[in-house]
Amino acid sequence: MLEITEGSLAVAEAVGKCRPQVIAAYPITPQTHIVEALAEMVANCEIDAEYITVESEFSALSACLGASAAGSRVYSATTSQGLALMFEVCFNCAGMRLPVVMSIVNRAMGAPLSIWNDQQDSVSLRDSGWLQLYAEDNQEATDLHYLAYKVSEDHRILLPSFVCFDGFILSHTYEPVDTISQEQADSYLPPFKPFQRLDAADPISFGLFAAPDYYTEFRYEIDQAAKRALSVIPKAGKEFAELFGRDYSGLVEGYRLEDADCALVAMGSICGTVKDAIDEMRDAGKKVGLLKIRTFRPFPSDEVKKALSGVGRVAVLDKNISLGSKGAMALEVRDALYGSQIPVYDYIIALGGRDVRKKDIARVVSLAEEGKGDLFYGLREEVLQ
Amino acid sequence: MNDEAACVLFDSGHRACGGCAAAMAARLILDAAGKDTIVVSSTGCMEVFSTPYPETAWGVPWIHSLFENNSAVASGVVASLKKQGRKEKVIALGGDGATFDIGMLCLSGAFERGHDFTYICYDNEAYMNTGIQRSGATPYDASTTTSPAGSCSFGNSRPKKDLPMILAAHGAPYVATASIAYPPDFKKKVEKAVNTPGPCYIQVHAPCCTGWGFEGEKTVAIGKLAIETGLWVNYEMENGVVTKVKKVVRKPVDDYLVGQKRFRHLFKPKRNDAEIAKIQALADRNAVKFGIDITLKK
Amino acid sequence: MAIGTGCTARPGKSRNNKTGSWRVFRPEFINEKCTSCGMCRIICPEGCIGENEEGLPVPDYDYCKGCGLCAEECPSEAIEMKKEEK
């Protein structure tokens, strides 16, 4: 059923239909509407979950970790500083192979303090072992939660997932969203079957320490599980498409890439603007296309390489910066294209909520055509003097 | 209570120092709580000596996540069990560093929210796992590696944080102090805590032979002296009111201090009368506050 | 998977670590003096003292670290620490 609703509320509704048994969350802008909506659902017995009002994000994810280990499906949501406070626990959840699902309402990292959007927060956790899915619009943001639980809880994977969508741009925007019914949700996402759990009837010790003779092997297994997700995600996406008609079987998605001279690479809500800009440029005779990255972790290098193999140049739009190096996505794309002659230009763009318009995308394409890249796009004059 | 069962619930083969009070505590806790218990440990000596992969000494379900989050993890475990309609008891275990210092935020949050679990702090009065650094539980004048006695220092400059009172102020229904030197008393308190609904707290004095500087065979004797000098008081609080106190015929604090390397600077090259008087005053204050003195009939 | 997914282990595994090899002094139990009070079994940090049918303590030297707590605390002085002969 198509409904016009706020992004956060659409996500909260989808999360509710995933039937989380334990929810633990701490308020932080722009995530609050999601956890408020879930609290309301619990208060009205619309969902049957234990809701823990923790005293910090650190405890939110710690409580999720414990609840998951004890055998419940769990949920949390956060952003930016809250995610940073969870840093330690993030590595723990992945290392302990607990399929926690968390919404990341993407926001910039301080300092300076900024409540506005970029993707520095989740991108900075790229080495933690969490799967990272990025949504372009609110429809995708809601749907990816079902997909995330399905993939995370798969016993071949057993890794936690971030479902990332841009703060304010998506979370606070009203868009038409097709919501699926509880029965439909249940038909896609079966009840949680823990691989192992804390249980007095069958005791197990979780979270031992590993000396040098074993540590590497545990890290290897996490990495292998993440890489298995490269084939499990498309299958879960295909199954979703068969039931609901919306196709997330691709780890990446091409838009008018077929004969493109310049391929833009982007993830998240900026892709919508890029598509509109591409349409205009195409109308003006420019061969431009987009490769949208939906799955940032694991990084689908082979799919990226395949999709970009015929293009003349690549312009990566990074809403993050690995300070002292490059944008995180550009590094991945360059790695994927290593050995080819295709130049990859990096543009640090849309940090801290700075708006990006179609003309900016056209300007980026021009810069790439001039061979100018690896720069912060659209800097104020005063810092350049 | 079955001692045989305790051996299985916390098994042999762990790597604690000989004479370790924390290992004793783990056995006594599980002996009292029984097999239907889920233990959530913080990082620390007990976690490290009991679970080097692929070995575990735990015969009950056990989980360790981080240093500072055992209360939060326990909150999640409790919520998870409640949702599933399961009846296991949940015990969070932490050393004094994890409890008094780095885990204080999680502990306070969990107690304020009122989860049904028991938190047990094995208090060995410093960060032992990292090599005997001071914590908020280190007593006055104890020499540790970060509060060393020196030419212008008598060791740790602050008395212990009064954590049991802080947790009682959270509205905890049951708060108790105990000592591994009195096993039946400790076990009784654990039983009471796990069977009291809501967040309960037990702080068990766990003398550390390695960190305090005494022979492992003296662990229980040192623990007894802490009680007998009034420097450690065993008491119970129910709903914020002290209901039971162990009374003693008090000995001078010297008897407790002199056998431990961490207080050696108070006796060498000669007895430091002024500093020991301050420690005696702490014991005297405990005696008045809790009324521990047994007055002998003349 | 060959290793415990997520670094887990099943009960009983610590028994593979025979801590008896740490021992320098060995507790010798003098049954004639023993009153079967159970103190040694209660306080042993290794949990390695069992009891036989007569209620007498039976140490498991595979795990006894020789800390001497049992000898120190035995109310009837029925345990003596002797230098371990290797």
Side-chain angles (χ1 to χ4, degrees), chain A residues 95-286:
Chain A
M96 293 170 78
R97 309 296 299 274
L98 297 170
V100 179
V101 170
M102 185 154 66
S103 304
I104 306 296
V105 190
N106 286 112
R107 170 183 145 181
M109 292 296 304
L113 178 69
S114 166
I115 59 164
W116 292 279
N117 165 253
D118 63 37
Q119 295 164 343
Q120 190 68 58
D121 49 3
S122 49
V123 164
S124 298
L125 265 294
R126 64 192 181 276
D127 301 335
S128 65
W130 286 60
L131 312 180
Q132 295 195 16
L133 308 171
Y134 287 78
E136 176 184 342
D137 54 27
N138 287 341
Q139 183 67 64
E140 195 169 1
T142 59
D143 292 344
L144 288 180
H145 283 85
Y146 301 105
L147 186 93
Y149 276 112
K150 184 118 175 154
V151 173
S152 281
E153 292 173 2
D154 189 308
H155 286 189
R156 292 167 294 179
I157 307 296
L158 296 172
L159 288 176
S161 288
F162 291 157
V163 178
C164 308
F165 55 105
D166 290 322
F168 293 115
I169 298 171
L170 294 181
S171 64
H172 286 55
T173 299
Y174 281 69
E175 280 185 355
V177 171
D178 183 17
T179 54
I180 62 177
S181 70
Q182 185 64 62
E183 293 67 36
Q184 286 174 311
D186 291 344
S187 70
Y188 179 72
L189 186 64
F192 176 41
K193 281 201 191 76
F195 174 75
Q196 53 198 2
R197 68 171 193 179
L198 294 164
D199 186 348
D202 184 21
I204 187 168
S205 294
F206 271 86
L208 284 69
F209 83 84
D213 52 349
Y214 276 107
Y215 182 82
T216 306
E217 281 68 21
F218 283 108
R219 303 301 284 176
Y220 169 78
E221 291 220 331
I222 301 165
D223 185 57
Q224 288 293 299
K227 284 170 179 158
R228 277 195 293 277
L230 291 170
S231 60
V232 173
I233 293 169
K235 277 179 202 140
K238 193 157 174 270
E239 200 182 319
F240 192 91
E242 282 162 6
L243 286 170
F244 310 116
R246 293 184 293 276
D247 189 354
Y248 303 110
S249 62
L251 300 161
V252 297
E253 231 175 65
Y255 182 77
R256 305 189 80 169
L257 260 184
E258 300 75 40
D259 58 344
D261 171 56
C262 180
L264 291 142
V265 178
M267 64 185 183
S269 63
I270 197 173
C271 291
T273 310
V274 172
K275 285 175 183 172
D276 282 351
I278 286 170
D279 289 346
E280 284 185 9
M281 285 185 271
R282 284 274 181 180
D283 289 346
K286 268 198 166 171

Side-chain angles (χ1 to χ4, degrees), chain A residues 119 123 126 263-267 291 293 296-297 299 301 304-305 308 314-322 325-338 340 342-349 364 373-376:
Chain A
Q119 295 164 343
V123 164
R126 64 192 181 276
L264 291 142
V265 178
M267 64 185 183
L291 183 68
I293 307 289
F296 183 63
R297 278 292 177 276
F299 193 78
S301 294
V304 168
K305 187 180 177 183
L308 297 177
V314 175
V316 180
L317 304 175
D318 262 308
K319 289 174 77 167
N320 72 84
I321 168 72
S322 181
S325 180
K326 306 285 190 311
M329 197 158 52
L331 295 172
E332 300 285 356
V333 172
R334 272 197 188 132
D335 174 62
L337 294 181
Y338 182 76
S340 82
I342 305 166
V344 176
Y345 303 106
D346 187 23
Y347 302 92
I348 308 303
I349 197 164
V364 163
D374 290 14
L375 50 82
F376 279 62

Side-chain angles (χ1 to χ4, degrees), chain A residues 20-22 48-50 52-56 58-60 62-74 85 88-89 92 96 98 197-211 213-214 218, chain B residues 35-40 47-49 51-69 72-77 79-84 86 88 105-110 112-113 115:
Chain A
Q21 293 158 288
V22 176
D48 184 17
E50 287 292 317
I52 313 177
T53 52
V54 280
E55 79 296 337
S56 72
F58 175 78
S59 281
S62 296
C64 284
L65 182 151
S68 181
S72 291
R73 180 175 287 162
V74 301
L85 191 56
E88 250 194 308
V89 199
N92 242 236
M96 293 170 78
L98 297 170
R197 68 171 193 179
L198 294 164
D199 186 348
D202 184 21
I204 187 168
S205 294
F206 271 86
L208 284 69
F209 83 84
D213 52 349
Y214 276 107
F218 283 108
Chain B
K35 67 174 183 50
D36 292 327
T37 306
I38 293 173
V39 173
V40 183
E47 169 261 328
V48 168
F49 71 62
T51 60
Y53 183 86
E55 293 167 12
T56 178
W58 300 88
V60 293
W62 177 90
I63 184 168
H64 155 254
S65 167
L66 297 165
F67 196 2
E68 68 277 39
N69 70 352
V73 172
S75 304
V77 171
S80 194
L81 298 180
K82 191 175 167 197
K83 182 69 191 63
Q84 296 170 38
R86 288 164 58 190
E88 289 112 309
L105 176 72
C106 293
L107 179 61
S108 175
E112 171 274 313
R113 291 190 299 272
H115 299 284

Side-chain angles (χ1 to χ4, degrees), chain C residues 19-23 25-27 44 46 48 59-68 70 81:
Chain C
T19 49
S21 63
W22 299 14
R23 204 168 48 243
F25 290 92
R26 178 187 184 90
C44 173
E46 313 313 316
C48 69
D60 186 342
Y61 290 111
D62 279 352
Y63 300 103
C64 170
K65 292 169 185 166
C67 72
C70 53
M81 297 305 288

Side-chain angles (χ1 to χ4, degrees), chain A residues 13-46:
Chain A
E13 200 178 317
V15 167
K17 285 177 181 154
C18 291
R19 298 187 187 274
Q21 293 158 288
V22 176
I23 298 168
Y26 186 81
I28 181 169
T29 304
Q31 154 265 33
T32 43
H33 289 185
I34 301 175
V35 295
E36 287 168 355
L38 285 164
E40 214 172 297
M41 289 181 212
V42 172
N44 291 316
C45 298
E46 288 162 21

Side-chain angles (χ1 to χ4, degrees), chain B:
Chain B
M1 280 172 261
N2 183 347
D3 296 323
E4 295 298 323
C7 295
V8 179
L9 297 182
F10 189 77
D11 222 331
S12 306
H14 62 74
R15 292 151 193 250
C17 304
C20 175
M24 263 180 75
R27 290 191 58 237
L28 296 168
I29 289 164
L30 292 181
D31 192 11
K35 67 174 183 50
D36 292 327
T37 306
I38 293 173
V39 173
V40 183
S41 279
S42 59
T43 309
C45 267
M46 192 190 283
E47 169 261 328
V48 168
F49 71 62
S50 64
T51 60
Y53 183 86
E55 293 167 12
T56 178
W58 300 88
V60 293
W62 177 90
I63 184 168
H64 155 254
S65 167
L66 297 165
F67 196 2
E68 68 277 39
N69 70 352
N70 60 344
S71 305
V73 172
S75 304
V77 171
V78 170
S80 194
L81 298 180
K82 191 175 167 197
K83 182 69 191 63
Q84 296 170 38
R86 288 164 58 190
K87 303 284 180 206
E88 289 112 309
K89 305 285 183 193
V90 178
I91 293 178
L93 269 176
D96 50 288
T99 309
F100 282 61
D101 295 350
I102 197 167
M104 185 74 188
L105 176 72
C106 293
L107 179 61
S108 175
F111 269 61
E112 171 274 313
R113 291 190 299 272
H115 299 284
D116 184 12
F117 77 118
T118 295
Y119 192 107
I120 302 177
C121 170
Y122 64 99
D123 182 4
N124 51 29
E125 304 189 325
Y127 291 88
M128 297 318 184
N129 194 38
T130 43
I132 317 146
Q133 294 82 21
R134 88 168 283 281
S135 76
T138 302
Y140 183 71
D141 271 0
S143 182
T144 72
T145 55
T146 52
S147 65
S151 58
C152 54
S153 161
F154 298 123
N156 187 47
S157 61
R158 298 282 302 158
K160 284 174 85 85
K161 188 196 280 190
D162 192 353
L163 193 55
M165 292 295 171
I166 293 169
L167 291 169
H170 280 68
Y174 182 70
V175 169
T177 55
S179 167
I180 54 85
Y182 298 88
D185 174 70
F186 178 37
K187 278 161 64 171
K188 225 163 67 189
K189 286 168 176 168
V190 172
E191 268 181 68
K192 187 158 182 178
V194 298
N195 289 307
T196 301
C200 298
Y201 178 70
I202 297 176
Q203 189 168 304
V204 59
H205 203 214
C208 171
C209 52
T210 308
W212 299 7
F214 59 83
E215 292 300 324
E217 72 209 35
K218 299 286 185 196
T219 299
V220 170
I222 293 277
K224 278 187 181 152
L225 282 168
I227 297 269
E228 288 163 356
T229 54
L231 285 171
W232 182 276
V233 180
N234 270 357
Y235 61 90
E236 289 179 283
M237 289 179 84
E238 289 174 54
N239 299 310
V241 180
V242 177
T243 51
K244 208 174 162 195
V245 175
K246 178 165 176 61
K247 300 199 174 199
V248 292
V249 179
R250 265 202 301 150
K251 296 176 175 172
V253 294
D254 292 59
D255 292 13
Y256 174 63
L257 304 174
V258 75
Q260 303 176 48
K261 226 185 209 173
R262 62 176 176 161
F263 295 116
R264 186 173 54 182
H265 58 285
L266 299 179
F267 296 92
K268 283 181 179 164
K270 63 182 182 59
R271 188 179 186 277
N272 186 331
D273 297 340
E275 282 304 305
I276 292 173
K278 289 183 196 169
I279 298 173
Q280 186 61 58
L282 289 172
D284 294 346
R285 209 169 64 190
N286 277 344
V288 173
K289 184 175 170 189
F290 291 99
I292 60 173
D293 284 334
I294 294 172
T295 8
L296 295 170
K297 282 180 190 161
K298 282 173 191 167

